Amino acid sequence: MRELVARPVRLRHPAPFPSAFQHLQVALPAAAGVDAHAVVVDLAEGIDDELVDAAVRRHWWSADHGQLVPRRATARELVAEGGPVLRVRALGWVDPAERALPGFPLADDDDDAPRLWVRARRDDASGAAEGWMPYTLAIARPADARPDEPLAHPPLLGGFGAGVDPVAASDAAWRSIVIDDALWCWWTGLARAASVDPSPEVRRLWADADLGLTLRRLDRGVLAPVTLAVVDDGVALTIGGGVGLDAAAQRAAIAQALWQLVIARALDDPAVSLSAPGVVGHRPDRRYAPEGVVDRRRLLDPLAHVQLSLDPGVRADVRRRLDAVDDDAPTVAAEPVETWTVALAPDAGVVRMFSPAAVPVPWGAFRLDPALVARAAARTGRAPTPAAERQTPYPGW
């Protein structure tokens, strides 16, 4: 991948940010479905070349660049052949009741409609089998390269992984699923957080920051232990996650929260123009949270969710959840779950992975299927909470 990219450029953020905040952008060649820059964030004294390499791979393969070999068929035809087929509705990303509303913007998930499929691997407790995944699930922005294909799901970016080999790529993709699931379960009260202290390394790297920092651990009912970090500059309250409970997980969670804080502060500056679907023009009162079902439909982009972190009501909600620590509850390990994996670029170590049992951090524009919420509640050993039933939009990505 070295020949693909320009030299990383570090974006420096003065106080109140810590000097150890590494925020890098790497220019990518122009291509449909690929962002202009790969973004790399870390809390460290120097640049981690492996992080840069993985980020470049992951961003470049947001499109398939002709690597995938799709097949046009109906889901019913593929099922008749006897192999497993991943239907979009099995992921539970959209409430079927919303799909039935007039004017709903996503296409039907129709077993009898021809569409493109790609080969994928299905893994669960019983073993592995080769099956079929919708082409538009395999890549991040299918409408850029294949506008002819029906978009039957939100353009979620979770589940991408990149590494030096397919094993490392799959591990990275699984980590992104674990983080999303844990953050959503915490946000909705299905997984309670416990207190955790910053590691000595994090204390040192954070020493010159003039920002509030709160760390929590999530290891009860989640797919794997996750560190949650919340960064507060007095206006925005941003959230990040990292798999594990060690210093590396804390650094990853803090770096993600800092990156979102950069975006939130830009969104709060009337002189800065960040445009995306659903981003509201600057409001002095910062009341950006949607007030009803119709207003929720604007939450179609990660930037619109980061903007929610500026809303005073959302800030209060985050604080209430941080205060609801549960240090005495026993650790509960989640059961193994089904995963679907497609190799976007085997030679480059990039995969896309999904788990029908996991909850993504969803776009607020679309309510999750209540059946997926119920499965998450059963896994965490809790009844669905009012917050889970309401599905209050999550502030960030």
Side-chain angles (χ1 to χ4, degrees), residues 161-226:
V164 293
D165 56 44
V167 173
S170 295
D171 181 59
W174 176 242
R175 289 199 302 270
S176 70
I177 290 172
V178 167
I179 292 170
D180 273 14
D181 181 90
L183 290 177
W184 190 88
C185 287
W186 166 75
W187 179 245
T188 57
L190 296 180
R192 296 291 291 274
S195 56
V196 63
D197 293 326
S199 70
E201 180 185 8
V202 165
R203 288 184 187 277
R204 176 173 54 80
L205 295 170
W206 189 260
D208 62 349
D210 190 18
L211 298 166
L213 173 64
T214 304
L215 297 179
R216 294 286 184 264
R217 78 174 193 267
L218 299 165
D219 56 358
R220 297 167 175 87
V222 294
L223 301 174
V226 167

Coordinates of all heavy atoms in Angstrom, one line a residue, residues 161-226:
G161 N -12.4 -4.2 8.4 CA -11.1 -4.5 9.0 C -10.0 -4.5 8.0 O -10.2 -4.9 6.9
A162 N -8.8 -4.1 8.5 CA -7.7 -4.1 7.6 C -6.4 -4.5 8.4 O -6.3 -4.1 9.6 CB -7.5 -2.7 6.9
G163 N -5.6 -5.2 7.8 CA -4.3 -5.6 8.5 C -3.4 -6.2 7.5 O -3.6 -6.2 6.3
V164 N -2.3 -6.7 8.0 CA -1.2 -7.2 7.2 C -1.6 -8.5 6.5 O -1.1 -9.0 5.5 CB 0.1 -7.4 7.9 CG1 0.7 -6.1 8.4 CG2 -0.1 -8.3 9.1
D165 N -2.7 -9.2 7.1 CA -3.1 -10.5 6.5 C -4.6 -10.6 6.8 O -5.2 -9.9 7.6 CB -2.3 -11.7 7.0 CG -2.3 -11.7 8.6 OD1 -3.4 -11.5 9.2 OD2 -1.3 -12.0 9.2
P166 N -5.3 -11.6 6.2 CA -6.7 -11.8 6.5 C -7.1 -12.0 7.9 O -8.2 -11.6 8.4 CB -7.1 -13.0 5.6 CG -6.1 -13.0 4.5 CD -4.8 -12.5 5.2
V167 N -6.2 -12.7 8.7 CA -6.5 -12.9 10.1 C -6.5 -11.6 10.9 O -7.5 -11.3 11.7 CB -5.5 -13.9 10.7 CG1 -5.7 -14.0 12.2 CG2 -5.6 -15.2 10.1
A168 N -5.5 -10.7 10.6 CA -5.5 -9.4 11.3 C -6.7 -8.6 10.9 O -7.2 -7.8 11.6 CB -4.2 -8.7 11.0
A169 N -7.0 -8.7 9.6 CA -8.1 -7.9 9.1 C -9.4 -8.3 9.7 O -10.3 -7.5 10.1 CB -8.2 -8.0 7.6
S170 N -9.7 -9.6 9.9 CA -10.9 -10.1 10.5 C -10.9 -9.7 12.0 O -12.0 -9.4 12.5 CB -11.0 -11.6 10.4 OG -11.1 -12.0 9.0
D171 N -9.8 -9.8 12.6 CA -9.7 -9.3 14.0 C -10.1 -7.9 14.2 O -10.9 -7.5 15.1 CB -8.3 -9.6 14.6 CG -8.2 -9.2 16.0 OD1 -9.0 -9.8 16.9 OD2 -7.4 -8.3 16.4
A172 N -9.6 -7.0 13.3 CA -9.9 -5.6 13.3 C -11.4 -5.4 13.0 O -12.1 -4.5 13.7 CB -9.1 -4.8 12.3
A173 N -12.0 -6.1 12.1 CA -13.4 -5.9 11.7 C -14.3 -6.4 12.9 O -15.2 -5.7 13.3 CB -13.7 -6.8 10.5
W174 N -13.9 -7.4 13.6 CA -14.6 -7.9 14.7 C -14.6 -6.9 15.9 O -15.6 -6.6 16.6 CB -14.1 -9.3 15.2 CG -14.7 -9.8 16.5 CD1 -14.2 -10.0 17.6 CD2 -16.1 -10.1 16.6 NE1 -15.1 -10.5 18.6 CE2 -16.3 -10.5 18.0 CE3 -17.2 -10.1 15.8 CZ2 -17.5 -10.9 18.5 CZ3 -18.5 -10.5 16.3 CH2 -18.6 -10.9 17.6
R175 N -13.4 -6.3 16.1 CA -13.3 -5.2 17.1 C -14.3 -4.1 16.9 O -14.9 -3.6 17.8 CB -11.9 -4.7 17.2 CG -10.9 -5.7 17.8 CD -9.6 -5.1 18.3 NE -8.9 -4.3 17.2 CZ -8.0 -4.8 16.4 NH1 -7.7 -6.1 16.5 NH2 -7.4 -4.0 15.5
S176 N -14.4 -3.7 15.6 CA -15.3 -2.6 15.3 C -16.8 -3.0 15.6 O -17.6 -2.1 16.1 CB -15.2 -2.1 13.9 OG -15.7 -3.1 13.0
I177 N -17.2 -4.2 15.4 CA -18.5 -4.7 15.7 C -18.7 -4.7 17.2 O -19.7 -4.3 17.8 CB -18.7 -6.1 15.1 CG1 -18.8 -6.1 13.6 CG2 -19.9 -6.8 15.7 CD1 -18.8 -7.4 12.9
V178 N -17.7 -5.2 18.0 CA -17.7 -5.3 19.4 C -17.9 -3.9 20.0 O -18.7 -3.7 20.9 CB -16.5 -6.0 20.0 CG1 -16.3 -5.8 21.5 CG2 -16.5 -7.4 19.6
I179 N -17.2 -2.9 19.5 CA -17.3 -1.6 20.1 C -18.7 -1.0 19.8 O -19.3 -0.4 20.8 CB -16.2 -0.6 19.5 CG1 -14.8 -1.1 19.9 CG2 -16.5 0.8 19.8 CD1 -13.7 -0.4 19.2
D180 N -19.2 -1.1 18.6 CA -20.5 -0.5 18.3 C -21.5 -1.2 19.2 O -22.4 -0.5 19.8 CB -20.8 -0.8 16.8 CG -20.3 0.3 15.9 OD1 -19.5 1.1 16.3 OD2 -20.8 0.3 14.8
D181 N -21.5 -2.5 19.3 CA -22.5 -3.2 20.1 C -22.5 -2.8 21.6 O -23.5 -2.5 22.2 CB -22.3 -4.7 20.0 CG -23.3 -5.5 20.8 OD1 -24.3 -5.9 20.2 OD2 -23.0 -5.8 21.9
A182 N -21.3 -2.7 22.1 CA -21.1 -2.3 23.5 C -21.6 -0.9 23.8 O -22.3 -0.6 24.8 CB -19.7 -2.5 24.0
L183 N -21.2 0.1 22.9 CA -21.6 1.4 23.1 C -23.1 1.6 23.0 O -23.7 2.3 23.8 CB -20.9 2.3 22.0 CG -19.4 2.5 22.2 CD1 -18.9 3.4 21.0 CD2 -19.1 3.2 23.5
W184 N -23.8 0.9 22.0 CA -25.2 1.0 21.9 C -25.9 0.4 23.2 O -26.9 0.9 23.7 CB -25.7 0.3 20.7 CG -27.2 0.6 20.4 CD1 -27.7 1.7 19.7 CD2 -28.3 -0.1 20.9 NE1 -29.1 1.6 19.7 CE2 -29.5 0.5 20.4 CE3 -28.5 -1.3 21.6 CZ2 -30.8 0.1 20.7 CZ3 -29.7 -1.8 21.9 CH2 -30.9 -1.1 21.4
C185 N -25.4 -0.8 23.6 CA -26.0 -1.4 24.8 C -25.8 -0.5 26.0 O -26.7 -0.4 26.9 CB -25.4 -2.8 25.0 SG -25.9 -4.0 23.8
W186 N -24.7 0.2 26.1 CA -24.5 1.1 27.3 C -25.4 2.3 27.1 O -26.1 2.7 28.1 CB -23.1 1.6 27.3 CG -22.9 2.8 28.2 CD1 -22.8 2.8 29.5 CD2 -22.7 4.2 27.7 NE1 -22.6 4.1 30.0 CE2 -22.5 4.9 28.9 CE3 -22.6 4.8 26.5 CZ2 -22.4 6.3 28.8 CZ3 -22.4 6.1 26.4 CH2 -22.3 6.9 27.6
W187 N -25.5 2.9 25.9 CA -26.4 4.1 25.7 C -27.8 3.8 26.0 O -28.5 4.7 26.5 CB -26.2 4.5 24.2 CG -27.0 5.7 23.8 CD1 -28.0 5.7 22.9 CD2 -26.9 7.0 24.3 NE1 -28.5 7.0 22.8 CE2 -27.8 7.8 23.6 CE3 -26.0 7.6 25.2 CZ2 -28.0 9.2 23.8 CZ3 -26.1 9.0 25.4 CH2 -27.1 9.8 24.7
T188 N -28.3 2.6 25.8 CA -29.7 2.3 26.0 C -29.9 1.6 27.4 O -31.1 1.2 27.7 CB -30.2 1.3 24.9 OG1 -29.4 0.1 24.9 CG2 -30.2 2.0 23.6
G189 N -28.9 1.5 28.2 CA -29.1 0.9 29.5 C -29.1 -0.6 29.6 O -29.3 -1.2 30.7
L190 N -28.8 -1.3 28.5 CA -28.8 -2.8 28.5 C -27.5 -3.3 29.1 O -27.4 -4.4 29.5 CB -29.0 -3.3 27.1 CG -30.4 -3.0 26.5 CD1 -30.4 -3.6 25.1 CD2 -31.5 -3.5 27.4
A191 N -26.4 -2.5 29.0 CA -25.1 -2.9 29.6 C -24.7 -1.8 30.5 O -24.5 -0.6 30.1 CB -24.1 -3.1 28.5
R192 N -24.5 -2.1 31.8 CA -24.1 -1.1 32.7 C -22.5 -0.9 32.8 O -21.8 -1.9 32.7 CB -24.6 -1.4 34.1 CG -26.1 -1.4 34.3 CD -26.7 0.0 34.1 NE -26.3 0.8 35.3 CZ -27.0 0.7 36.4 NH1 -28.1 0.0 36.6 NH2 -26.7 1.5 37.5
A193 N -22.1 0.3 32.9 CA -20.6 0.5 32.9 C -20.1 0.4 34.4 O -20.8 0.7 35.3 CB -20.3 1.9 32.3
A194 N -18.8 0.1 34.5 CA -18.2 0.1 35.8 C -17.0 1.1 35.7 O -16.5 1.5 34.6 CB -17.7 -1.3 36.1
S195 N -16.5 1.6 36.9 CA -15.5 2.6 36.9 C -14.1 1.9 36.6 O -13.9 0.7 36.8 CB -15.4 3.2 38.3 OG -15.3 2.3 39.3
V196 N -13.2 2.7 36.0 CA -11.9 2.3 35.7 C -11.0 3.5 35.8 O -11.4 4.6 35.4 CB -11.8 1.6 34.3 CG1 -12.2 2.6 33.2 CG2 -10.5 1.0 34.1
D197 N -9.8 3.3 36.3 CA -8.8 4.4 36.3 C -7.9 4.5 35.1 O -7.6 3.4 34.5 CB -7.9 4.2 37.6 CG -8.7 4.4 38.9 OD1 -9.6 5.2 38.9 OD2 -8.3 3.7 39.8
P198 N -7.5 5.6 34.7 CA -6.6 5.7 33.6 C -5.3 5.0 33.9 O -4.8 5.0 35.1 CB -6.3 7.2 33.4 CG -7.4 7.9 34.1 CD -7.9 7.0 35.2
S199 N -4.7 4.3 32.9 CA -3.4 3.7 33.1 C -2.3 4.7 33.3 O -2.5 5.9 32.9 CB -3.1 2.8 31.9 OG -2.8 3.6 30.8
P200 N -1.2 4.3 33.9 CA -0.1 5.3 34.0 C 0.3 5.9 32.7 O 0.7 7.1 32.6 CB 1.1 4.4 34.6 CG 0.3 3.3 35.3 CD -0.9 3.0 34.5
E201 N 0.3 5.1 31.6 CA 0.7 5.6 30.3 C -0.3 6.7 29.8 O 0.1 7.7 29.3 CB 0.7 4.5 29.2 CG 1.1 4.9 27.8 CD 1.0 3.8 26.8 OE1 0.5 2.7 27.1 OE2 1.4 4.1 25.6
V202 N -1.6 6.4 30.0 CA -2.6 7.4 29.6 C -2.5 8.7 30.5 O -2.6 9.8 30.0 CB -4.0 6.8 29.7 CG1 -5.1 7.9 29.7 CG2 -4.2 5.8 28.6
R203 N -2.2 8.5 31.7 CA -2.0 9.7 32.6 C -0.9 10.6 32.1 O -1.0 11.8 32.0 CB -1.7 9.3 34.0 CG -2.9 8.7 34.8 CD -2.5 8.4 36.2 NE -3.6 7.7 36.9 CZ -4.6 8.2 37.5 NH1 -4.8 9.6 37.4 NH2 -5.5 7.5 38.1
R204 N 0.2 9.9 31.7 CA 1.3 10.7 31.1 C 1.0 11.4 29.8 O 1.3 12.6 29.6 CB 2.5 9.8 31.0 CG 3.7 10.4 30.3 CD 4.9 9.4 30.4 NE 4.6 8.2 29.7 CZ 4.6 8.0 28.4 NH1 4.9 9.0 27.6 NH2 4.3 6.8 28.0
L205 N 0.3 10.7 28.9 CA 0.0 11.2 27.6 C -1.1 12.3 27.7 O -1.2 13.2 26.8 CB -0.5 10.1 26.7 CG 0.6 9.1 26.3 CD1 0.0 7.9 25.6 CD2 1.7 9.7 25.4
W206 N -1.9 12.3 28.7 CA -3.0 13.2 28.9 C -2.6 14.4 29.8 O -3.3 15.4 29.9 CB -4.2 12.5 29.5 CG -5.5 13.3 29.6 CD1 -6.0 13.9 30.6 CD2 -6.4 13.5 28.5 NE1 -7.2 14.5 30.3 CE2 -7.4 14.3 29.0 CE3 -6.4 13.0 27.2 CZ2 -8.5 14.6 28.2 CZ3 -7.5 13.4 26.4 CH2 -8.5 14.2 26.9
A207 N -1.4 14.4 30.3 CA -1.0 15.3 31.4 C -1.2 16.8 31.0 O -1.6 17.6 31.8 CB 0.4 15.1 31.8
D208 N -1.0 17.2 29.7 CA -1.1 18.6 29.4 C -2.4 19.0 28.7 O -2.6 20.1 28.2 CB 0.1 19.0 28.5 CG 0.1 18.3 27.1 OD1 -0.7 17.3 27.0 OD2 0.8 18.6 26.2
A209 N -3.4 18.1 28.8 CA -4.7 18.4 28.2 C -5.5 19.2 29.2 O -5.4 19.0 30.4 CB -5.5 17.1 27.9
D210 N -6.3 20.1 28.7 CA -7.2 20.9 29.5 C -8.6 20.6 29.2 O -9.5 21.4 28.9 CB -6.9 22.4 29.3 CG -7.7 23.3 30.3 OD1 -8.1 22.7 31.4 OD2 -7.8 24.5 30.1
L211 N -8.9 19.3 29.2 CA -10.2 18.7 28.9 C -10.7 17.7 30.0 O -9.8 17.1 30.6 CB -10.2 18.0 27.6 CG -9.9 18.8 26.3 CD1 -9.5 17.8 25.2 CD2 -11.0 19.7 25.9
G212 N -11.9 17.6 30.2 CA -12.4 16.6 31.1 C -12.3 15.2 30.4 O -12.6 15.0 29.2
L213 N -11.9 14.2 31.2 CA -11.8 12.8 30.7 C -12.5 11.9 31.7 O -12.1 11.9 32.9 CB -10.4 12.4 30.5 CG -10.1 11.0 30.1 CD1 -10.7 10.6 28.8 CD2 -8.6 10.7 30.1
T214 N -13.4 11.1 31.2 CA -14.0 10.0 32.0 C -13.8 8.7 31.3 O -14.1 8.6 30.1 CB -15.5 10.3 32.2 OG1 -15.7 11.6 32.8 CG2 -16.1 9.2 33.1
L215 N -13.4 7.7 32.0 CA -13.2 6.3 31.5 C -14.2 5.4 32.2 O -14.4 5.5 33.4 CB -11.8 5.8 31.6 CG -10.7 6.6 30.9 CD1 -9.3 6.0 31.2 CD2 -11.0 6.6 29.4
R216 N -14.7 4.5 31.5 CA -15.6 3.4 32.1 C -15.2 2.1 31.4 O -14.7 2.1 30.3 CB -17.1 3.7 31.9 CG -17.6 4.9 32.6 CD -17.7 4.6 34.1 NE -18.3 5.8 34.8 CZ -17.6 6.7 35.5 NH1 -16.2 6.6 35.5 NH2 -18.1 7.6 36.2
R217 N -15.6 1.0 32.0 CA -15.4 -0.3 31.4 C -16.8 -1.0 31.2 O -17.7 -0.8 32.0 CB -14.5 -1.2 32.2 CG -15.1 -1.8 33.4 CD -14.1 -2.8 34.1 NE -14.8 -3.7 35.0 CZ -14.9 -3.4 36.3 NH1 -14.3 -2.3 36.8 NH2 -15.5 -4.3 37.1
L218 N -16.9 -1.7 30.1 CA -18.1 -2.4 29.7 C -17.7 -3.9 29.6 O -17.1 -4.2 28.6 CB -18.7 -1.9 28.5 CG -19.2 -0.4 28.5 CD1 -19.5 0.1 27.1 CD2 -20.4 -0.3 29.4
D219 N -18.0 -4.7 30.5 CA -17.7 -6.1 30.4 C -18.7 -7.0 30.9 O -18.4 -8.2 31.4 CB -16.3 -6.4 31.1 CG -16.3 -5.9 32.5 OD1 -17.3 -5.4 33.0 OD2 -15.3 -6.1 33.2
R220 N -20.0 -6.6 30.9 CA -21.1 -7.4 31.4 C -22.1 -7.5 30.3 O -22.8 -6.6 30.0 CB -21.7 -6.7 32.6 CG -20.7 -6.7 33.8 CD -21.2 -5.7 34.9 NE -20.3 -5.8 36.0 CZ -19.2 -5.0 36.1 NH1 -18.9 -4.1 35.2 NH2 -18.4 -5.1 37.2
G221 N -22.2 -8.7 29.7 CA -23.2 -9.0 28.6 C -22.8 -8.5 27.3 O -23.5 -8.7 26.3
V222 N -21.6 -7.9 27.1 CA -21.1 -7.4 25.8 C -20.4 -8.5 25.2 O -20.0 -9.5 25.8 CB -20.3 -6.1 26.0 CG1 -21.1 -5.0 26.5 CG2 -19.1 -6.3 26.9
L223 N -20.1 -8.3 23.9 CA -19.4 -9.4 23.1 C -18.0 -9.6 23.5 O -17.4 -10.7 23.4 CB -19.5 -9.1 21.6 CG -20.9 -8.9 21.1 CD1 -20.9 -8.4 19.6 CD2 -21.7 -10.2 21.2
A224 N -17.3 -8.6 24.0 CA -16.0 -8.6 24.6 C -15.8 -7.3 25.4 O -16.5 -6.4 25.2 CB -14.9 -8.7 23.5
P225 N -14.9 -7.3 26.4 CA -14.7 -6.1 27.2 C -14.3 -4.9 26.3 O -13.5 -5.0 25.4 CB -13.6 -6.5 28.2 CG -13.6 -8.0 28.2 CD -14.1 -8.5 26.9
V226 N -14.9 -3.8 26.7 CA -14.7 -2.6 26.0 C -14.4 -1.4 26.9 O -15.1 -1.3 28.0 CB -15.9 -2.2 25.1 CG1 -15.8 -0.8 24.5 CG2 -16.0 -3.2 23.9

